[in-house]
Amino acid sequence: MVTIKKRGVPMTVSVISRKDAVSTTWSGGTTTEFYLFPRDGSYKERRFDLRISSATVDLEASDFTLLPDYQRIITPLEGGFTLTYKETGEKVTLAPLEEDFFDGAYHTHSIGKAIDFNVMYKKGMHAAYSVINASKKFGLADFRFLYVPFIDAKDLTGSTLNEHSLTRDTLYVSDDRSDAFVLALKKPVSLIYVSVRKA
């Protein structure tokens, strides 16, 4: 993880690439934890308020881990899948960067191989997801995340967040409400923006 500070401005952005994040195995593939809050929390022990991760779904069919105290957002980065929620009977098919919000308590069955992007947040918190493809100054939130998916380096040339060059498969984090969070894109590539507010 790299922390960037801009001279003369009270602004800090943490930059976390996949190679610098922690990866572990799960029953359907591997998962990479980019961000966990609080920082001394534990996903395994379910001691966290907020988690940003990316998983590979290597099996054609798999069942998600139950997380009854959390809400979730999920989107494929590559590939795609169809999710079925046992509790509601709802079936949702997602292509890359299409998202779904769902209750972590739902028994969720997935069909399809993919690399996905996950947001897990404690019930009572509020999260928003959007795909950004133009320069933007983001509004205030307790947590702001910009994720750069698998984009060719040449298409990111000259694009910055808070004057720091964008890199593929990297999460940019601002968890200070006073910080600026300014995106400048040279080309209209598609990036994921997530904001989270505490209860």
Side-chain angles (χ1 to χ4, degrees), residues 87-174:
E87 283 73 7
T88 65
E90 183 182 10
K91 185 178 289 189
V92 180
T93 298
L94 300 174
L97 303 190
E98 294 179 342
E99 84 286 0
D100 196 35
F101 289 68
F102 64 100
D103 192 322
Y106 288 173
H107 290 77
T108 304
H109 185 66
S110 174
I111 299 292
K113 297 181 180 182
I115 300 175
D116 64 28
F117 180 82
N118 296 277
V119 182
M120 305 171 183
Y121 54 102
K122 199 83 170 177
K123 288 180 177 176
M125 300 177 79
H126 305 280
Y129 170 101
S130 57
V131 176
I132 304 296
N133 52 28
S135 298
K136 184 177 178 67
K137 181 176 181 179
F138 298 99
L140 295 180
D142 294 305
F143 304 90
R144 290 169 292 178
F145 304 93
L146 186 76
Y147 174 73
V148 181
F150 306 119
I151 296 170
D152 287 342
K154 61 182 176 57
D155 292 327
L156 294 171
T157 301
S159 293
T160 61
L161 179 73
N162 290 10
E163 300 185 359
H164 185 76
S165 298
L166 296 184
T167 305
R168 73 193 301 266
D169 196 20
T170 299
L171 183 71
Y172 297 78
V173 181
S174 171

Side-chain angles (χ1 to χ4, degrees), residues 28-39:
T30 61
T31 185
T32 299
E33 183 177 279
F34 282 95
Y35 180 85
L36 190 75
F37 179 85
R39 299 185 191 279

Side-chain angles (χ1 to χ4, degrees), residues 3-45:
T3 300
I4 304 159
K5 295 185 178 180
K6 184 178 175 183
R7 283 197 305 269
V9 179
M11 176 275 297
T12 302
V13 173
S14 297
V15 182
I16 308 150
S17 66
R18 188 178 296 265
K19 65 181 177 62
D20 294 328
V22 177
S23 294
T24 56
T25 58
W26 68 288
S27 60
T30 61
T31 185
T32 299
E33 183 177 279
F34 282 95
Y35 180 85
L36 190 75
F37 179 85
R39 299 185 191 279
D40 61 353
S42 167
Y43 170 73
K44 183 177 180 179
E45 298 172 9

